[in-house]
Coordinates of all heavy atoms in Angstrom, one line a residue:
R1 N 21.5 -34.4 31.6 CA 20.3 -34.6 30.8 C 20.4 -35.9 30.1 O 21.4 -36.3 29.6 CB 20.3 -33.5 29.7 CG 19.1 -33.6 28.7 CD 19.1 -32.5 27.7 NE 20.2 -32.7 26.7 CZ 20.2 -33.5 25.6 NH1 19.1 -34.2 25.4 NH2 21.2 -33.6 24.8
K2 N 19.3 -36.6 30.1 CA 19.2 -37.9 29.5 C 19.3 -37.8 28.0 O 18.6 -36.8 27.4 CB 18.0 -38.7 29.9 CG 18.0 -39.3 31.3 CD 16.8 -40.2 31.5 CE 16.9 -40.9 32.9 NZ 15.8 -41.8 33.1
K3 N 20.0 -38.6 27.3 CA 20.0 -38.5 25.8 C 18.7 -39.0 25.2 O 18.1 -39.9 25.7 CB 21.1 -39.5 25.3 CG 22.6 -39.1 25.8 CD 23.0 -37.9 25.1 CE 24.5 -37.6 25.4 NZ 24.9 -36.3 24.8
K4 N 18.3 -38.2 24.2 CA 17.0 -38.4 23.6 C 17.1 -39.5 22.5 O 18.1 -39.5 21.7 CB 16.5 -37.2 22.9 CG 16.2 -36.0 23.9 CD 15.8 -34.8 23.2 CE 16.9 -34.1 22.4 NZ 16.6 -32.8 21.8
V5 N 16.2 -40.4 22.5 CA 16.2 -41.6 21.5 C 14.9 -41.6 20.7 O 13.8 -41.4 21.2 CB 16.3 -42.9 22.3 CG1 16.2 -44.1 21.3 CG2 17.7 -43.0 23.0
M6 N 15.0 -41.8 19.4 CA 13.9 -42.1 18.6 C 14.2 -43.4 17.9 O 15.3 -43.7 17.5 CB 13.7 -41.0 17.5 CG 13.0 -39.8 18.0 SD 12.6 -38.6 16.7 CE 11.5 -37.5 17.6
I7 N 13.1 -44.2 17.7 CA 13.2 -45.6 17.2 C 12.4 -45.6 15.8 O 11.3 -45.1 15.8 CB 12.7 -46.6 18.1 CG1 13.5 -46.6 19.4 CG2 12.7 -48.0 17.5 CD1 13.0 -47.5 20.5
F8 N 13.1 -46.1 14.8 CA 12.5 -46.2 13.5 C 12.4 -47.7 13.1 O 13.4 -48.4 12.9 CB 13.4 -45.5 12.5 CG 13.6 -44.0 12.9 CD1 14.6 -43.7 13.8 CD2 12.8 -43.0 12.3 CE1 14.8 -42.3 14.1 CE2 13.0 -41.7 12.7 CZ 13.9 -41.3 13.6
I9 N 11.1 -48.2 13.0 CA 10.9 -49.6 12.8 C 10.4 -49.9 11.4 O 9.3 -49.4 11.0 CB 9.9 -50.2 13.8 CG1 10.4 -50.0 15.3 CG2 9.6 -51.7 13.5 CD1 9.4 -50.4 16.3
D10 N 11.1 -50.7 10.7 CA 10.7 -51.2 9.4 C 9.8 -52.4 9.7 O 10.2 -53.5 9.9 CB 11.9 -51.7 8.5 CG 11.5 -52.2 7.2 OD1 10.3 -52.5 7.0 OD2 12.4 -52.3 6.3
G11 N 8.4 -52.2 9.7 CA 7.5 -53.1 10.2 C 7.4 -54.4 9.4 O 7.4 -55.5 10.0
S12 N 7.5 -54.4 8.1 CA 7.4 -55.6 7.3 C 8.7 -56.5 7.5 O 8.6 -57.7 7.7 CB 7.3 -55.2 5.8 OG 7.3 -56.4 5.0
N13 N 9.8 -55.8 7.6 CA 11.1 -56.5 7.8 C 11.0 -57.2 9.2 O 11.4 -58.4 9.3 CB 12.2 -55.5 7.8 CG 13.6 -56.1 7.9 OD1 14.0 -56.6 8.9 ND2 14.3 -56.1 6.8
L14 N 10.6 -56.5 10.2 CA 10.6 -57.0 11.6 C 9.6 -58.2 11.7 O 9.9 -59.2 12.3 CB 10.2 -55.9 12.6 CG 10.1 -56.4 14.0 CD1 11.5 -56.8 14.6 CD2 9.6 -55.2 14.9
Y15 N 8.4 -58.0 11.1 CA 7.4 -59.1 11.1 C 8.0 -60.4 10.6 O 7.8 -61.5 11.2 CB 6.2 -58.6 10.2 CG 5.2 -59.7 10.0 CD1 4.2 -60.0 11.0 CD2 5.1 -60.4 8.8 CE1 3.3 -61.0 10.8 CE2 4.2 -61.4 8.6 CZ 3.3 -61.7 9.5 OH 2.3 -62.7 9.3
H16 N 8.6 -60.4 9.4 CA 9.1 -61.6 8.8 C 10.3 -62.2 9.6 O 10.4 -63.4 9.7 CB 9.5 -61.3 7.4 CG 8.4 -61.1 6.4 ND1 7.9 -59.9 6.0 CD2 7.5 -62.0 5.9 CE1 6.9 -60.0 5.2 NE2 6.6 -61.3 5.2
V17 N 11.2 -61.4 10.1 CA 12.3 -62.0 10.9 C 11.9 -62.5 12.2 O 12.4 -63.5 12.7 CB 13.5 -61.0 11.1 CG1 14.1 -60.6 9.7 CG2 13.1 -59.7 11.8
L18 N 10.8 -61.9 12.8 CA 10.3 -62.5 14.1 C 9.6 -63.8 13.8 O 9.9 -64.8 14.6 CB 9.2 -61.5 14.7 CG 9.8 -60.3 15.4 CD1 8.7 -59.4 15.9 CD2 10.7 -60.6 16.5
L19 N 8.9 -64.0 12.7 CA 8.3 -65.2 12.4 C 9.3 -66.3 12.2 O 9.2 -67.4 12.6 CB 7.4 -65.1 11.2 CG 6.0 -64.5 11.4 CD1 5.2 -64.5 10.1 CD2 5.2 -65.3 12.5
K20 N 10.4 -65.9 11.5 CA 11.4 -66.8 11.1 C 12.2 -67.3 12.3 O 12.6 -68.5 12.5 CB 12.4 -66.2 10.1 CG 13.5 -67.1 9.6 CD 14.4 -66.3 8.6 CE 15.6 -67.2 8.2 NZ 16.5 -66.5 7.3
N21 N 12.6 -66.3 13.2 CA 13.5 -66.6 14.3 C 12.8 -67.0 15.6 O 13.4 -67.6 16.5 CB 14.4 -65.5 14.5 CG 15.4 -65.3 13.4 OD1 16.4 -65.9 13.4 ND2 15.1 -64.3 12.5
C22 N 11.5 -66.5 15.8 CA 10.8 -66.7 17.1 C 9.5 -67.5 16.9 O 8.9 -67.9 17.9 CB 10.5 -65.3 17.7 SG 12.0 -64.3 18.0
G23 N 9.0 -67.6 15.7 CA 7.8 -68.3 15.5 C 6.5 -67.5 15.8 O 5.4 -68.1 15.8
R24 N 6.7 -66.3 16.1 CA 5.5 -65.4 16.4 C 5.9 -64.0 16.2 O 7.0 -63.6 16.0 CB 5.1 -65.6 17.9 CG 6.1 -65.3 18.9 CD 5.7 -65.8 20.3 NE 4.5 -65.1 20.8 CZ 4.1 -65.3 22.0 NH1 4.7 -66.1 22.9 NH2 3.0 -64.6 22.4
S25 N 4.8 -63.1 16.1 CA 5.1 -61.7 15.8 C 4.3 -60.7 16.6 O 4.3 -59.5 16.4 CB 4.8 -61.4 14.3 OG 3.4 -61.7 14.1
D26 N 3.6 -61.3 17.6 CA 2.7 -60.4 18.5 C 3.5 -59.7 19.5 O 3.4 -59.9 20.7 CB 1.6 -61.3 19.1 CG 2.1 -62.5 19.9 OD1 3.2 -63.0 19.4 OD2 1.5 -62.9 20.9
L27 N 4.2 -58.7 19.1 CA 5.2 -58.0 19.9 C 4.5 -56.8 20.6 O 3.6 -56.2 20.1 CB 6.3 -57.4 19.0 CG 7.5 -56.8 19.7 CD1 8.2 -57.7 20.6 CD2 8.4 -56.2 18.6
M28 N 4.9 -56.6 21.9 CA 4.4 -55.4 22.6 C 5.4 -54.3 22.3 O 6.5 -54.2 22.8 CB 4.4 -55.6 24.1 CG 3.3 -56.6 24.5 SD 3.0 -56.7 26.3 CE 4.6 -57.4 26.9
F29 N 5.0 -53.4 21.3 CA 6.0 -52.4 20.8 C 6.4 -51.4 21.8 O 7.6 -51.0 21.8 CB 5.3 -51.7 19.6 CG 5.3 -52.6 18.4 CD1 4.2 -53.4 18.1 CD2 6.4 -52.6 17.5 CE1 4.2 -54.2 17.0 CE2 6.4 -53.4 16.3 CZ 5.3 -54.2 16.1
S30 N 5.6 -51.1 22.8 CA 6.0 -50.1 23.8 C 7.1 -50.7 24.7 O 8.1 -50.0 24.9 CB 4.8 -49.8 24.7 OG 5.1 -48.8 25.7
S31 N 7.0 -52.0 25.1 CA 8.0 -52.6 25.9 C 9.2 -52.8 25.1 O 10.4 -52.7 25.6 CB 7.5 -54.0 26.4 OG 6.3 -53.8 27.2
F32 N 9.1 -53.2 23.8 CA 10.2 -53.4 22.9 C 11.0 -52.1 22.8 O 12.3 -52.1 22.9 CB 9.7 -53.8 21.6 CG 10.8 -54.0 20.5 CD1 11.9 -54.8 20.7 CD2 10.6 -53.4 19.3 CE1 12.9 -55.0 19.7 CE2 11.6 -53.6 18.3 CZ 12.7 -54.3 18.5
G33 N 10.3 -51.0 22.6 CA 11.0 -49.6 22.6 C 11.7 -49.3 23.8 O 12.9 -48.8 23.8
K34 N 11.1 -49.6 25.0 CA 11.8 -49.3 26.2 C 13.0 -50.1 26.5 O 14.0 -49.6 27.0 CB 10.8 -49.5 27.4 CG 9.7 -48.4 27.5 CD 8.6 -48.8 28.5 CE 7.5 -47.8 28.5 NZ 6.4 -48.2 29.5
K35 N 13.0 -51.4 26.0 CA 14.1 -52.2 26.2 C 15.3 -51.8 25.3 O 16.4 -51.8 25.8 CB 13.8 -53.7 25.9 CG 14.9 -54.6 26.2 CD 14.5 -56.1 26.2 CE 15.6 -57.0 26.6 NZ 15.2 -58.4 26.7
L36 N 15.0 -51.4 24.1 CA 16.0 -50.9 23.2 C 16.7 -49.6 23.7 O 17.9 -49.4 23.6 CB 15.5 -50.6 21.8 CG 15.1 -51.9 20.9 CD1 14.4 -51.4 19.7 CD2 16.4 -52.6 20.6
T37 N 15.8 -48.7 24.3 CA 16.3 -47.4 24.8 C 17.1 -47.6 26.1 O 18.2 -46.9 26.2 CB 15.1 -46.5 25.1 OG1 14.3 -46.4 23.9 CG2 15.5 -45.2 25.6
G38 N 16.7 -48.4 27.0 CA 17.4 -48.6 28.3 C 17.0 -47.5 29.3 O 16.3 -46.5 29.0
K39 N 17.4 -47.7 30.5 CA 17.0 -46.8 31.6 C 17.7 -45.5 31.6 O 17.2 -44.5 32.2 CB 17.2 -47.5 33.0 CG 16.2 -48.7 33.2 CD 16.5 -49.4 34.5 CE 15.6 -50.6 34.7 NZ 15.9 -51.3 36.0
D40 N 18.9 -45.4 31.1 CA 19.7 -44.2 31.1 C 19.4 -43.2 30.0 O 20.0 -42.2 29.9 CB 21.2 -44.6 31.1 CG 21.5 -45.4 32.3 OD1 20.9 -45.2 33.4 OD2 22.4 -46.3 32.2
R41 N 18.4 -43.6 29.1 CA 18.1 -42.6 28.0 C 16.6 -42.4 28.0 O 15.8 -43.1 28.7 CB 18.6 -43.2 26.7 CG 20.0 -43.5 26.6 CD 20.5 -43.9 25.2 NE 20.0 -45.2 24.8 CZ 20.4 -45.8 23.7 NH1 21.3 -45.2 22.9 NH2 19.9 -47.0 23.4
E42 N 16.2 -41.4 27.3 CA 14.8 -41.1 27.2 C 14.2 -41.4 25.8 O 14.7 -40.8 24.8 CB 14.6 -39.5 27.5 CG 13.1 -39.1 27.5 CD 13.0 -37.6 27.7 OE1 14.1 -36.9 27.8 OE2 11.9 -37.1 27.8
L43 N 13.2 -42.2 25.8 CA 12.5 -42.5 24.5 C 11.5 -41.4 24.2 O 10.5 -41.2 24.9 CB 11.8 -43.9 24.7 CG 11.0 -44.3 23.4 CD1 11.9 -44.4 22.2 CD2 10.3 -45.7 23.7
K44 N 11.8 -40.7 23.1 CA 10.9 -39.6 22.7 C 9.8 -40.1 21.8 O 8.7 -39.6 21.9 CB 11.7 -38.6 21.9 CG 12.9 -37.9 22.8 CD 12.4 -37.3 24.0 CE 11.6 -36.0 23.8 NZ 11.3 -35.3 25.0
K45 N 10.1 -41.0 20.8 CA 9.1 -41.4 19.9 C 9.5 -42.7 19.2 O 10.7 -43.0 19.0 CB 8.8 -40.3 18.8 CG 7.6 -40.5 18.1 CD 7.2 -39.2 17.4 CE 5.8 -39.2 16.8 NZ 5.4 -38.0 16.2
I46 N 8.5 -43.5 18.8 CA 8.7 -44.7 18.0 C 7.9 -44.5 16.7 O 6.7 -44.1 16.7 CB 8.1 -46.0 18.6 CG1 8.8 -46.3 20.0 CG2 8.3 -47.2 17.7 CD1 8.2 -47.4 20.8

């Protein structure tokens, strides 16, 4: 059985650090969640 994953995003925190470190904040959250989860686990919810 694949391990179940849930992701909890502090939106305001992420927005400001993305602007500071990447210069943009228009993130594709679905793809971001999948990358954090990886192929060997199952993403249940963000």
Side-chain angles (χ1 to χ4, degrees):
R1 180 181 70 85
K2 284 188 175 183
K3 297 290 184 181
K4 297 176 291 184
V5 173
M6 279 189 171
I7 298 174
F8 303 83
I9 300 174
D10 182 342
S12 179
N13 185 291
L14 180 62
Y15 171 79
H16 287 102
V17 295
L18 284 178
L19 281 182
K20 181 182 176 183
N21 292 277
C22 304
R24 59 191 297 186
S25 62
D26 53 327
L27 187 63
M28 292 192 292
F29 284 90
S30 181
S31 300
F32 178 53
K34 286 174 184 175
K35 186 165 183 177
L36 287 173
T37 302
K39 293 179 181 178
D40 298 327
R41 302 188 292 187
E42 182 186 2
L43 177 58
K44 301 300 288 185
K45 197 165 190 175
I46 299 172

